[in-house]
Amino acid sequence: LDWPLKARLHYGHPDLMDKLQVVQQGGVSKGTKGLNLSEDVFAGLDLSLRGGWTVYREYFHVGKGRDMGFMSTLSFYAKVSMGNAEQAITRQWMRLGLHLELQQLLGVFYAHVGFYVNQSLVNRVTKAFCFTAAFFTVSGAVQDIFQGLAADMVSSYFGYFYLLFILASMLPYVFEVCLEEGLQGACWSLLSSLLALSPIFSSFQSKLMAYFFETTLNYGGAQYIPTGRGLATAREPFVKLFRCFAASHMHDAMEASLFIGFSIGVDYGVGFYGCTFFTIIAWFIAPFLFNPRQFESVTHQLHDFLEWIAWMRRLGSDEEKSWYAYQVRLQEVRRNNSMLLVILGNCRFAAMLCSLVLILSAYPLPSLAHMEDYTALLVYMPPLAHAAL
């Protein structure tokens, strides 16, 4: 990214920039801690807009001290996803997109906002194909030709593109290890990662980044999340895992499972079902699979279940003790948007409209012209509607 693309922005050590050039051209100070959450990246943005670029000088190859636990790692990815969403709506990115050369623009886009847009699109397409399979399976009640066309489309595209996405995500890692340790070391590293169930973690991480990127892009509310520097070996309770990942993963996994259930009866191909089931399982079990000592004791699991039931029934203002407070906190980011924009901007609203059209096509309403009672309602409803408004 440093050379020849000149697409590297500033992320801390070991990135270097010319301090005198930055100071003489307005500095790097920013006005808000929400919009400018990723202050180091904004420094690189301003430097690139002023004709410079960040260079990479790594004198010692050492890792930064960081907590590598499941929760801390995902908290870090949530933070950078929110920061990239805030960057995507700024003037700096618009100006870079208008004035950069093509090769530099592609490098900047892929390494920053484009990476998170890709995660968002892949996870949206996964649910969209599940809904497509369910919708056209049920549409057989209207016309059988829809089922065959949908089966051909889903079986021809989804599985191949999903595998291509996974391959494209793995290739940079394989090439990096191959350059440092050779082809044999790269193959061994890849095999050890697969045995450690890294695809499940990667699928879960991709959904998390897409959720926080989309939520921040739509409603704002980016905030700094401290990630810590400790060694995470403590077992997290089920209530905490549910609070952290229900809205981002488990709800969508349940919806996708429901769509797959409605698609039973039509064969959409091994690739579609294999990729979909893998994604749904990863969204469901990853928090428990990577939680230390999760399945060590039946007593702990029973205690977690009873604590979750009590948490669902309590009322209060603390989200750690009450499901009600948790739901209120989830809706806080939407307070600055109108209800109309929240509803119309939701893909579930489009799915509901499609389902309504399908139901009316399969079971049309009786004609109102020959029904005196309904005719009377048509006369009285407009004044009542105006009065209600």
Side-chain angles (χ1 to χ4, degrees), residues 233-239 241 285-302 304-305:
T233 57
R235 180 181 183 274
E236 301 291 351
F238 176 78
V239 172
L241 296 176
I285 71 169
F288 315 107
L289 190 63
F290 296 102
N291 189 25
R293 302 194 298 274
Q294 172 66 40
F295 308 102
E296 187 178 53
S297 172
V298 179
T299 304
H300 288 165
Q301 298 176 28
L302 180 61
D304 282 349
F305 177 74

Side-chain angles (χ1 to χ4, degrees), residues 70-71 74 127 204 207-208 211-212 215 237-256 280 282-288 308 311-312 319 322-323 326-327 329-331 334 348:
F70 183 76
M71 296 293 293
L74 293 180
K127 279 190 62 180
F204 193 86
K207 183 66 173 70
L208 180 105
Y211 172 79
F212 280 100
T215 303
F238 176 78
V239 172
K240 182 177 180 180
L241 296 176
F242 184 86
R243 282 193 296 108
C244 293
F245 304 117
S248 59
H249 295 79
M250 298 179 185
H251 293 170
D252 285 345
M254 184 60 69
E255 289 182 3
I280 293 174
W283 291 354
F284 265 129
I285 71 169
F288 315 107
W308 177 71
W311 177 76
M312 294 287 291
E319 65 174 288
S322 169
W323 173 85
Y326 162 73
Q327 288 295 329
R329 197 264 303 169
L330 286 181
Q331 303 304 321
R334 297 174 173 84
R348 293 183 178 91

Side-chain angles (χ1 to χ4, degrees), residues 185-295:
C187 295
W188 176 251
S189 179
L190 180 61
L191 179 61
S192 62
S193 298
L194 294 176
L195 293 177
L197 303 180
S198 63
I200 294 180
F201 179 82
S202 299
S203 177
F204 193 86
Q205 171 190 310
S206 174
K207 183 66 173 70
L208 180 105
M209 291 190 293
Y211 172 79
F212 280 100
F213 181 79
E214 292 179 6
T215 303
T216 307
L217 197 63
N218 291 329
Y219 310 113
Q223 57 183 343
Y224 179 78
I225 301 177
T227 54
R229 296 291 186 271
L231 182 62
T233 57
R235 180 181 183 274
E236 301 291 351
F238 176 78
V239 172
K240 182 177 180 180
L241 296 176
F242 184 86
R243 282 193 296 108
C244 293
F245 304 117
S248 59
H249 295 79
M250 298 179 185
H251 293 170
D252 285 345
M254 184 60 69
E255 289 182 3
S257 303
L258 185 64
F259 293 151
I260 293 298
F262 275 101
S263 68
I264 294 176
V266 178
D267 184 15
Y268 289 98
V270 178
F272 169 72
Y273 287 115
C275 296
T276 304
F277 284 142
F278 169 78
T279 303
I280 293 174
I281 292 172
W283 291 354
F284 265 129
I285 71 169
F288 315 107
L289 190 63
F290 296 102
N291 189 25
R293 302 194 298 274
Q294 172 66 40
F295 308 102

Side-chain angles (χ1 to χ4, degrees), residues 132-133 136-137 139-140 143-156 265-268:
T132 301
F136 286 105
T137 300
S139 69
Q143 194 169 357
D144 293 336
I145 191 175
F146 292 149
Q147 294 181 349
L149 294 175
D152 292 340
M153 180 185 68
V154 173
S155 60
S156 300
V266 178
D267 184 15
Y268 289 98

Side-chain angles (χ1 to χ4, degrees), residues 1-23:
L1 293 178
D2 176 11
W3 186 86
L5 291 179
K6 297 181 182 178
R8 185 176 186 85
L9 303 181
H10 185 70
Y11 321 104
H13 172 78
D15 299 326
L16 302 177
M17 62 174 62
D18 189 346
K19 177 182 177 181
L20 291 179
Q21 179 186 4
V22 173
V23 171

